[in-house]
Amino acid sequence: MADVKTIIAKRAARFLKDGDVVNLGIGMPEMVANFLPEDVNVILQSENGIMGMHAAAEEGKENTDISNAGGKYVTVIPGACYFDTAFSFGLIRGGHVDATILGALQVDSEGSLASHIIPGKMVPGMGGAMDLVSGAENVIVITTHTDKKGSPKILERCTLPLTAYKRVKWIISELAVIESTPEGLVLREINAESSVEEVVAKTGAQLIIPEQVGTF
Amino acid sequence: MKNKFITAQEAAALIHDGDFVMVGGFLGHGTPNSIVEAMCDSELKDLTIAVNDTGFPEGVDKFGFRGVSELVARHKIKTLYASHIGLNPETGKQMSEGTLEVKLIPQGTLAERIRAGGYGLGGILTPTGVGTDVAQGKQVINVDGKDYLLETALKGDVCIIKGSVVDKLGNVYFKGTTRNFCTVMAMACKTVIVEAEQVVEVGEIPAENIMTPFVLVDYIVDGGKTNG
């Protein structure tokens, strides 16, 4: 199997439609932009105040007035604009951002997400994640199917403090594409090199398995 | 018209022990470095600070951006309102040692609470945080079938922000992403101090491009370009 993050980012990229306004979280979600199909152009929003973000700035050519939500220096597309934080989150909560793609510590069968805190270990703060998951039309979680110890990250109920309550629509891992529905988690696709049995074994929540399960 | 120009040290002297100070910037971009530095060098203590994040410790960004990390390192802050502290380990350390009270607030909620403070509102209703720990102790109000949290307004004593271009009256233009929290904070505090990267004559910033109008700005520090 190729690099796990690449597999996930590539599959997630195919979830985006031409013209979508998208906010990508820091880290693996940022990679999604590298794998967009040629006929799909999305408009990237950065919550610190950009609509129309482009690639990272070249070393030596950074404009220090233009950074992204991770503090990295970036460039923008022609027609891009800047705004203040209140407006930026107005766009986010107001439903003007079509999709947000973000990582997870845990995600559960109710579509709830834990991504920002491990009590006693990691308390960085939620940044803009809570607003993004409460406001974006399509909340897409991308994550390795299991954690470093091999334990499932997709659970019946998150045990860590929640970042979002019942807001996740899609979960994409290196093994599967899972849709979160009011009835529960539905297995929509599996990695062609995996099997339904492997996905079920590595998932800590009940999966609804329809007759047709696609592959990617 | 009164002369608004003061030094960074005079700006720091306008802040008193225990004051609520709002500091513009996002990972240091938009943070008034000279004023922050003067605050660090002063005897100020027990501050309440509202800021998006506590920046990077010195030396992380090659252009010298580090936000308010030095205010944390010098133990100037008693209570902190922020959305993210993960890139400055010292903040987490002081929080777990109990010497710094940290109120972590979703970024959009922090901006809206400050905006409400400056716009004469008692608070705002937001869906952000419903069903999470953020909702603890807060009133949930249902409007047309959807739950919202009542988040109260924040108002400060002093606001310090950086302006890319500032005219001699105090009109401010922010370049790129340096605007972030600066505009809402300038509305929400009694005293507003802007550190100018570039000072220009009145009229040089087209009126349509003024992002913070001069009537909100009490003092200007001619800081020059301190990064990049």
Side-chain angles (χ1 to χ4, degrees):
Chain A
M1 221 182 257
D3 171 59
V4 165
K5 286 184 177 176
T6 303
I7 295 170
I8 297 170
K10 269 187 177 170
R11 181 63 194 91
R14 289 197 282 122
F15 262 77
L16 301 177
K17 298 189 297 292
D18 193 44
D20 272 356
V21 176
V22 181
N23 184 297
L24 302 176
I26 309 294
M28 182 163 58
E30 288 175 293
M31 289 171 60
V32 174
N34 303 333
F35 298 109
L36 290 170
E38 268 191 26
D39 55 344
V40 173
N41 286 299
V42 301
I43 300 129
L44 294 178
Q45 194 252 12
S46 188
E47 64 267 27
N48 62 319
I50 310 176
M51 186 63 81
M53 183 169 64
H54 189 50
E58 269 178 62
E59 181 85 20
K61 287 188 180 170
E62 299 96 337
N63 177 342
T64 56
D65 290 325
I66 305 170
S67 55
N68 70 7
K72 296 207 179 79
Y73 300 101
V74 293
T75 57
V76 297
I77 61 170
C81 66
Y82 306 107
F83 29 77
D84 67 39
T85 308
F87 186 89
S88 188
F89 282 93
L91 288 170
I92 289 165
R93 284 185 316 264
H96 310 287
V97 171
D98 298 304
T100 184
I101 300 182
L102 71 171
L105 294 165
Q106 298 175 336
V107 57
D108 74 22
S109 64
E110 288 191 321
S112 293
L113 167 72
S115 72
H116 78 285
I117 191 169
I118 304 173
K121 267 194 190 166
M122 182 196 89
V123 189
M126 63 296 276
M130 275 197 176
D131 299 281
L132 278 158
V133 293
S134 76
E137 287 292 313
N138 193 3
V139 177
I140 301 167
V141 165
I142 62 174
T143 176
T144 54
H145 209 86
T146 53
D147 66 17
K148 281 177 189 154
K149 292 178 186 158
S151 305
K153 293 176 78 172
I154 304 165
L155 306 170
E156 278 302 327
R157 289 289 174 278
C158 292
T159 55
L160 294 168
L162 296 183
T163 308
Y165 177 63
K166 295 186 180 181
R167 287 289 307 160
V168 176
K169 274 201 184 159
W170 293 95
I171 305 164
I172 302 168
S173 77
E174 74 281 19
L175 298 181
V177 174
I178 294 167
E179 184 180 5
S180 173
T181 72
E183 288 72 42
L185 299 177
V186 182
L187 183 63
R188 292 296 181 199
E189 288 180 25
I190 59 167
N191 187 320
E193 294 178 33
S194 179
S195 63
V196 172
E197 291 72 29
E198 184 189 8
V199 172
V200 169
K202 291 183 173 173
T203 304
Q206 189 75 37
L207 287 176
I208 298 166
I209 312 207
E211 273 181 37
Q212 296 288 325
V213 177
T215 55
F216 68 93
Chain B
M1 196 65 72
K2 90 168 186 185
N3 176 9
K4 293 183 178 177
F5 286 87
I6 57 172
T7 65
Q9 289 69 31
E10 287 166 337
L14 289 165
I15 303 168
H16 304 100
D17 291 352
D19 270 0
F20 188 168
V21 183
M22 295 191 181
V23 186
F26 193 109
L27 290 171
H29 299 88
T31 305
N33 295 328
S34 305
I35 302 173
V36 168
E37 219 170 280
M39 288 167 72
C40 288
D41 291 339
S42 75
E43 297 297 315
L44 273 174
K45 60 178 193 300
D46 296 335
L47 297 173
T48 293
I49 298 277
V51 65
N52 177 60
D53 58 84
T54 48
F56 307 102
E58 191 167 9
V60 172
D61 181 285
K62 67 173 177 176
F63 296 105
F65 288 95
R66 52 196 167 106
V68 300
S69 62
E70 198 62 14
L71 283 176
V72 178
R74 304 269 189 110
H75 296 269
K76 297 292 186 191
I77 312 174
K78 189 178 179 190
T79 305
L80 174 73
Y81 292 83
S83 80
H84 201 271
I85 58 169
L87 297 172
N88 185 351
E90 177 64 20
T91 312
K93 184 170 164 271
Q94 290 183 22
M95 180 170 73
S96 38
E97 285 168 354
T99 55
L100 172 61
E101 183 192 11
V102 179
K103 297 173 189 286
L104 289 168
I105 300 171
Q107 207 165 94
T109 300
L110 182 60
E112 273 312 294
R113 290 182 68 184
I114 295 168
R115 189 185 66 84
Y119 278 50
L121 305 174
I124 52 112
L125 298 179
T126 178
T128 302
V130 168
T132 76
D133 289 351
V134 167
Q136 272 175 17
K138 286 174 190 155
Q139 206 178 326
V140 177
I141 295 173
N142 190 286
V143 182
D144 292 337
K146 185 171 173 178
D147 283 343
Y148 298 87
L149 300 183
L150 172 63
E151 295 276 8
T152 54
L154 287 175
K155 285 168 118 170
D157 298 302
V158 182
C159 161
I160 59 170
I161 56 176
K162 185 164 82 174
S164 308
V165 183
V166 181
D167 75 21
K168 289 179 175 173
L169 270 179
N171 287 305
V172 188
Y173 172 79
F174 302 92
K175 289 184 183 171
T177 54
T178 65
R179 197 180 336 175
N180 52 71
F181 281 83
C182 296
T183 42
V184 285
M185 286 177 169
M187 289 282 284
C189 296
K190 286 190 285 251
T191 302
V192 175
I193 311 169
V194 59
E195 179 173 328
E197 274 196 344
Q198 186 193 352
V199 176
V200 298
E201 294 299 328
V202 176
E204 284 193 44
I205 308 171
E208 296 88 343
N209 293 356
I210 290 166
M211 297 169 181
T212 291
F214 74 96
V215 293
L216 297 173
V217 174
D218 300 292
Y219 299 98
I220 306 165
V221 172
D222 186 356
K225 200 159 171 60
T226 52
N227 298 105

